[in-house]
Amino acid sequence: EVAHVTLLNGAIGETWSSLVRPGRAIPPDATRVHGISDVMVADAPAAAELGRTWRAQLGDLPLVFHNAPFDLPFLIAMFREADAPPLLNPIIDTLGLARGLSDGSAGNSLQAVRQRLGLPAETAHRALGDAMTTARVCLALAERWERERGVRSVHELAAVSLDVMRVTGRR
């Protein structure tokens, strides 16, 4: 399943999501986590078909992830399979933003950060719910990075988020 949430002028904008036909059986452990079954994806678009459409929608907009090193390989593979243009978009990682403002005493999973920021709960482990939570987390943390650290642009936010991920990366 894939999804995106558009952020426009500091607010949540349009949302989009789609199931993806993976071309292989979904492992039972994965179904237990996200609730998506083989029956649900049987008529969904194939990754290549969806990749062309989705890549065009994303254009050159900045992309926001919570733990980008986990999600990006899937996205890159989907776009390659679709023979779509490569991703050269700025990447903001809310995990890096959270770690950079944390003293390390609390967890920085998406749900832990959401709770710490007092944001509403969405459907966890589903693409649109996680994308909506990530968008809200991004808005809240961007405001803090601006106020507390003087970060003033999307490009600065992307750079600092990835710098923190590099420095604090778990090996």
Side-chain angles (χ1 to χ4, degrees):
E1 186 175 31
V2 294
H4 73 248
V5 173
T6 303
L7 297 177
L8 186 61
N9 298 322
I12 302 290
E14 293 181 8
T15 65
W16 173 87
S17 68
S18 178
L19 291 170
V20 181
R21 189 175 63 241
R24 61 185 171 94
I26 298 172
D29 288 345
T31 298
R32 278 192 285 283
V33 170
H34 51 60
I36 300 171
S37 68
D38 291 325
V39 171
M40 293 169 67
V41 299
D43 295 325
E49 175 188 343
L50 195 56
R52 282 186 290 280
T53 303
W54 197 22
R55 181 66 186 97
Q57 289 175 344
L58 296 176
D60 62 355
L61 294 171
L63 304 178
V64 180
F65 299 90
H66 191 82
N67 195 9
F70 177 82
D71 290 319
L72 276 173
F74 296 106
L75 198 61
I76 290 167
M78 176 186 273
F79 293 156
R80 280 189 183 143
E81 185 177 337
D83 199 27
L87 279 178
L88 302 174
N89 309 48
I91 303 292
I92 298 170
D93 196 321
T94 56
L95 177 56
L97 295 178
R99 284 179 180 170
L101 294 174
S102 165
D103 64 6
S105 63
N108 286 307
S109 70
L110 182 58
Q111 294 308 316
V113 174
R114 176 197 61 77
Q115 288 175 332
R116 198 163 49 249
L117 294 171
L119 300 172
E122 297 286 343
T123 304
H125 305 299
R126 289 298 300 264
L128 187 55
D130 285 349
M132 185 67 77
T133 299
T134 300
R136 288 187 174 123
V137 165
C138 182
L139 291 172
L141 292 177
E143 188 275 325
R144 282 194 56 198
W145 274 93
E146 181 178 7
R147 185 180 69 244
E148 296 173 20
R149 307 283 175 90
V151 171
R152 301 269 186 246
S153 73
V154 167
H155 291 285
E156 285 180 81
L157 198 63
V160 73
S161 76
L162 297 179
D163 282 349
V164 171
M165 288 297 289
R166 181 181 48 78
V167 170
T168 64
R170 310 290 192 260
R171 297 192 207 324

